[in-house]
Amino acid sequence: MKRLWISCIVLAALITATLLSSLYLQNLSQSVCDTLQQAQTYVQADNWDLAQERTAAAEQEWASHKGIYAALRHTDLNGVYEGFAQVNACLHAQESGEYIAANASLIARLEMLAQSDLLNLQNIL
């Protein structure tokens, strides 16, 4: 009977850790996406300096959370960093059309990354 209780406690701890990790990634992704959308607004207003500042802030926020490296696939994380590199290249070239496409792709990648970590039937099956 003691082993059953220990197993239940371990299972509850794992489920709790999974839910907290998912919530953490969801909040981080949403914050970074919001910052990237602000940068896009600045680009549309032709304010490239503020757009670069907001994009750098988003990238720094993403990079400062080292805990996600333990929970996510490295290929997904590399895709996010490639997206930031592409967005930064478009910012430096000041190409608004390509920037908007690259920024939208990066935001979509971050949103999909957060959704792929959710505990739902689609991700379980």
Side-chain angles (χ1 to χ4, degrees):
M1 189 66 168
K2 190 176 186 180
R3 288 184 182 176
L4 176 65
W5 283 109
I6 292 172
S7 299
C8 289
I9 290 170
V10 168
L11 181 61
L14 288 174
I15 290 172
T16 301
T18 300
L19 292 173
L20 289 175
S21 171
S22 178
L23 182 63
Y24 176 77
L25 181 60
Q26 188 84 23
N27 289 337
L28 174 61
S29 294
Q30 186 60 48
S31 176
V32 172
C33 287
D34 289 344
T35 306
L36 288 170
Q37 287 172 344
Q38 289 173 356
Q40 184 168 325
T41 303
Y42 288 128
V43 165
Q44 291 169 336
D46 206 27
N47 193 339
W48 292 94
D49 292 334
L50 283 176
Q52 286 179 339
E53 181 182 305
R54 297 311 301 154
T55 301
E59 188 172 11
Q60 186 176 25
E61 180 179 7
W62 178 260
S64 68
H65 293 274
K66 301 294 184 191
I68 60 175
Y69 292 97
L72 299 175
R73 292 180 297 198
H74 291 285
T75 55
D76 294 335
L77 295 172
N78 289 342
V80 171
Y81 284 111
E82 288 171 6
F84 273 115
Q86 186 177 11
V87 166
N88 283 324
C90 292
L91 276 172
H92 290 297
Q94 294 189 354
E95 297 177 6
S96 63
E98 295 211 14
Y99 166 79
I100 291 171
N103 198 45
S105 175
L106 178 56
I107 289 171
R109 186 180 300 254
L110 287 165
E111 289 172 347
M112 284 190 296
L113 188 63
Q115 288 177 358
S116 70
D117 200 44
L118 291 176
L119 184 62
N120 59 26
L121 187 60
Q122 181 182 1
N123 289 340
I124 293 173
L125 299 178

